[in-house]
Amino acid sequence: MLKILVVCGNGLGSSFLMEMNINKVLKEIGAKVDVDHCDLTSAKGYKANIIVGTKDITSQLVGYAEVLVELNNILDIADMKNKVIEALAKFE
Amino acid sequence: MSVLKFLMNDVLSQPAVLIGVFALIGLLAQKKAITEIITGSLKATIGFLILGAGAGTLVGALNHFSVIFTEAFHITGVIPNNEAIVSIAQEVIGTETALIMVFGMLVNILLARLTPFKYIFLTGHHTMFMAAMLSAILVGAGFSGAPLVIIGSVVLGCVMVLFPAMAQPFMKQITGTDDVALGHFGTTGYVAAALVGKAIGNKEKSTEDMNFPKGLMFLRDTTIATGVTMLILFLISVLFAGPAFVEDQVSGGQNFIMFAIMQSLTFSAGVYVVLAGVRMIISEIVPAFKGFADRIVPDAKPALDCPVVFPFAPVAVIVGFISSFAAGIVGMFVLSAIGVTVIIPGVIPHFFTGAAAGVFGNATGGRRGATVGAFVNGLMITFLPVLLLPVLGALGYANTTFGDADFGIIGIIFGYILKLFM
């Protein structure tokens, strides 16, 4: 199964929120994908197909996943949905 | 009767098991699959045990630091770090914390349903930290059993809606919508920053038009930021204390520079472990909380962790951090001149709360608002912990304490009110 990893500085608040929103989107589109969240340090040792995070986070994770999804605003669910669908399409 | 007694005295008095039971109830209520229910409950329990393991790792380093710092500067130094203080607290008041956390969430849902404060506080780790602080204060004031849990939960539930409500007028200005609230116990610092910005700044001159190096973004990495700061603090302390003292009395003969390096990185390792434990606990508890809240208060606003405002003003994030940290250093020298306990500025509280204060100050007062507002936040999180320490009971002697402004404000008000009555 594909794995999405959501990352933020502490791996507690923001990434967890994004994970809940991503799960909602995945349910909507009927995709079965494993989603998890963690902090920046742990992300580098984690095997994920897609990493999601804000720009300041993803810029430090280049090369650690096949696809990086860069969000400008973690509250913008519509934007996140488009970007996640686009990222998933690369694995079809 | 003996079964009930066994449950009460041996099972539920184990905070790790208690957390597992709460996770179990939450997962059942969400009608999860059976495997998810089992793994989720176990994860929450194991998360709590990880928390204790992390405490064991970081406390040693913290105590060594304290001894060396005192020898070097002849003054007591305390490093505020929420994860460290909460992990230490769990060893003695874990059950109280777990109960206040869960019942406080229920009070939050009730208040959101019944009052105009329609906020659901989703920053689970801050809920847990606040529950730990309230437990410490109540135990310190002589409370126990049901009164402790009831008072703690009501206070926790109230602050979970009051702080988001305080921040909301400014959140509207920052995010441009009224749908999202701020759920972070650094709010008084951010509101102070916004008010200062309003009074002295000009919001037309935004920080976002400035050219500013973004190289400090590595500080988003908590483990690295903690390790680097502790290393600097440890090195300065061992140099002032001298190799003779360190090697004879503290390190057991290990070279003093190597000792400083290993201990500071060990502290950071401990914080990493604690964070992993906290993450496992809140991942199982918060979705249930959110699920209940969505059903009972459909029009509620989610109150979220402070980094939600960072993308709205990324330059203010850096300006705010630097300004807040500068205030922490100024405050440290002021405290040592007065001769009271010195609060050593920690990068993590200054980064997260200073950054958010910068964003708030920028929204109302532009560059000047961000700089001066975050400076005020930095002074608050330096001076408030000094007044907080005496009301924390036994936890006031832990060499570390709670970092963010609201812990100070609520702890001091609540602690001294209890002292008046007891």
Side-chain angles (χ1 to χ4, degrees), chain B residues 48-396:
Chain B
F48 201 94
L49 296 170
I50 291 176
L51 199 67
T57 306
L58 62 81
V59 165
L62 203 54
N63 290 344
H64 290 317
F65 176 78
S66 173
V67 172
I68 297 170
F69 187 85
T70 309
E71 169 69 19
F73 304 107
H74 304 288
I75 198 156
T76 316
V78 168
I79 308 172
N81 183 302
N82 295 331
E83 286 80 20
I85 187 73
V86 168
S87 69
I88 294 166
Q90 292 328 302
E91 299 187 346
V92 275
I93 48 170
T95 308
E96 289 85 348
T97 303
L99 289 167
I100 290 178
M101 177 179 162
V102 169
F103 289 111
M105 286 173 159
L106 295 182
V107 174
N108 177 185
I109 294 177
L110 273 181
L111 289 172
R113 170 82 211 193
L114 301 173
T115 71
F117 298 118
K118 302 276 172 221
Y119 303 102
I120 294 296
F121 195 99
L122 288 179
T123 311
H125 55 293
H126 264 214
T127 308
M128 185 178 175
F129 299 166
M130 188 59 95
M133 189 189 76
L134 295 172
S135 308
I137 292 173
L138 284 161
V139 169
F143 282 88
S144 65
L148 180 150
V149 175
I150 292 167
I151 297 172
S153 309
V154 170
V155 173
L156 180 60
C158 289
V159 299
M160 287 167 87
V161 296
L162 286 179
F163 284 116
M166 261 172 71
Q168 196 57 14
F170 306 109
M171 278 299 280
K172 246 189 276 182
Q173 222 170 317
I174 293 165
T175 63
T177 93
D178 197 16
D179 300 335
V180 178
L182 185 73
H184 196 265
F185 290 133
T187 300
T188 37
Y190 314 149
V191 170
L195 294 176
V196 168
K198 206 175 194 172
I200 62 159
N202 174 2
K203 67 177 167 190
E204 303 308 317
K205 288 190 180 156
S206 169
T207 49
E208 304 317 295
D209 306 327
M210 293 160 68
N211 276 320
F212 218 81
K214 299 216 162 63
L216 282 164
M217 271 304 167
F218 73 93
L219 291 172
R220 287 298 300 266
D221 196 328
T222 304
T223 312
I224 302 301
T226 308
V228 171
T229 359
M230 281 306 278
L231 184 58
I232 295 168
L233 294 173
F234 245 111
L235 283 176
I236 294 173
S237 303
V238 293
L239 286 172
F240 274 89
F245 174 80
V246 175
E247 288 167 17
D248 291 349
Q249 316 239 344
V250 194
S251 76
Q254 188 180 26
N255 173 278
F256 72 117
I257 299 288
M258 267 321 285
F259 184 72
I261 294 172
M262 293 316 292
Q263 290 296 313
S264 50
L265 299 185
T266 302
F267 179 80
S268 180
V271 171
Y272 180 88
V273 174
V274 173
L275 276 173
V278 173
R279 187 177 308 129
M280 283 173 76
I281 296 167
I282 65 170
S283 302
E284 301 307 326
I285 301 281
V286 170
F289 174 49
K290 191 171 178 298
F292 282 126
D294 287 346
R295 248 179 286 163
I296 298 168
V297 203
D299 55 343
K301 291 176 188 133
L304 309 172
D305 200 357
C306 72
V308 297
V309 300
F310 294 178
F312 293 97
V315 180
V317 165
I318 302 292
V319 170
F321 161 62
I322 294 173
S323 183
S324 181
F325 195 73
I329 291 174
V330 170
M332 177 176 71
F333 284 113
V334 171
L335 288 172
S336 69
I338 303 171
V340 292
T341 300
V342 169
I343 301 298
I344 301 162
V347 169
I348 300 301
H350 280 290
F351 182 79
F352 283 97
T353 72
V359 177
F360 272 67
N362 180 54
T364 56
R367 287 168 208 182
R368 204 182 299 157
T371 316
V372 183
F375 196 84
V376 170
N377 173 74
L379 291 178
M380 286 172 72
I381 67 172
T382 307
F383 289 101
L384 288 172
V386 181
L387 300 168
L388 176 65
L389 289 173
V391 297
L392 285 181
L395 216 53

